[in-house]
Amino acid sequence: SSSRCYHSVRPISGRPRSLIQCNLVPLKSVEEATRNFWVFFICGNGGLTIGLAQFPVLAGRLKDGLSRAGQDSRGGPTLEVPHALLLYPEPLSIFDLDAVIGAPALIDLEELIAAGPQETYLQQRGYLTFAAFEQALSRGPGGGFNPLAVRAVFDALFKTQDAVEPTVAIEALAKWKSEGSTGSEGASFTRDLVGAKAGSYVPIATFVFLLWLIADIIFENAQMAFFSS
């Protein structure tokens, strides 16, 4: 039979729980439930392990951003997007952002990458990483950049990984610089930053949903396979 969704109420630890059940594989017998349990348990475990491995990366990135609060700033107006929405600890100064985008150290990104760390596979393949980006700004002319602004500008360059192709970074920085202030109405920097943030965290929300769905399927099959009367 085809897959179906139905509403059920079942007791757990003596307390009823109401939820919507979606059985992707309808249960026909104990034998089929047992087979489904092991298929979803083994396949789901492998996929979930890979997904869970990304959480420390995102947690580390979030912690890094939060640790950059309260640093020296050029002040002035701030980005209109609420900083909490971007998962930053404080509002972003437009002057700080413009200073990073127009930094002389970012003019030659290929030289910047070659002079930066070469410890990871992506670094060795010529990708611009945050480590190289931050190192170049700290050592180059026109220093004194706000650490949170440095993080935000690099965040706007990528969506799913902490590295970006040099051509993509060059085009983005040139576009943002040519527009003038990042705080101008409809500035592409703001759109790119919001889009990059969404691109980074929407997959996590999707993963959490799939985690719940697979766990529920495994539980339903296990209940019929091993605990049915």
Side-chain angles (χ1 to χ4, degrees):
S1 61
S2 61
S3 61
R4 64 188 186 280
C5 292
Y6 60 91
H7 186 270
S8 68
V9 179
R10 63 172 180 263
I12 294 182
S13 301
R15 296 163 54 189
R17 186 183 71 169
S18 176
L19 71 163
I20 298 297
Q21 288 296 114
C22 291
N23 278 349
L24 299 182
V25 183
L27 305 182
K28 297 179 180 178
S29 65
V30 172
E31 291 76 14
E32 185 176 3
T34 303
R35 182 177 66 251
N36 291 341
F37 168 79
W38 288 113
V39 168
F40 279 100
F41 181 80
I42 294 173
C43 296
N45 184 60
L48 294 176
T49 300
I50 296 175
L52 287 171
Q54 300 303 311
F55 275 94
V57 177
L58 291 174
R61 191 181 304 158
L62 177 61
K63 182 179 179 181
D64 177 67
L66 294 176
S67 69
R68 294 168 181 265
Q71 303 296 318
D72 290 339
S73 171
R74 290 170 171 79
T78 59
L79 210 63
E80 293 182 356
V81 180
H83 64 280
L85 182 63
L86 300 173
L87 301 181
Y88 293 139
E90 60 189 19
L92 295 165
S93 164
I94 292 174
F95 293 161
D96 289 337
L97 294 170
D98 285 341
V100 175
I101 292 171
L106 303 181
I107 294 177
D108 190 343
L109 287 184
E110 293 184 355
E111 181 179 346
L112 181 158
I113 294 169
Q118 301 292 321
E119 300 172 356
T120 68
Y121 173 76
L122 290 177
Q123 289 170 339
Q124 295 171 4
R125 296 290 296 176
Y127 279 72
L128 174 63
T129 62
F130 180 67
F133 186 80
E134 186 173 42
Q135 176 180 293
L137 289 171
S138 65
R139 296 179 178 178
F145 300 104
N146 177 263
L148 185 59
V150 173
R151 178 77 257 183
V153 170
F154 190 83
D155 284 348
L157 292 173
F158 74 99
K159 289 182 173 63
T160 58
Q161 58 184 7
D162 209 4
V164 62
E165 294 182 13
T167 54
V168 174
I170 291 171
E171 292 176 1
L173 289 168
K175 177 179 63 175
W176 300 337
K177 189 175 181 179
S178 66
E179 287 186 351
S181 175
T182 56
S184 60
E185 184 176 354
S188 60
F189 172 81
T190 302
R191 297 196 303 271
D192 290 345
L193 178 58
V194 173
K197 281 292 186 176
S200 296
Y201 292 100
V202 167
I204 297 301
T206 303
F207 171 75
V208 171
F209 169 75
L210 293 176
L211 175 64
W212 168 83
L213 185 61
I214 292 175
D216 196 62
I217 292 173
I218 291 174
F219 178 82
E220 287 296 317
N221 283 276
Q223 187 179 45
M224 183 171 184
F226 307 117
F227 304 105
S228 59
S229 55

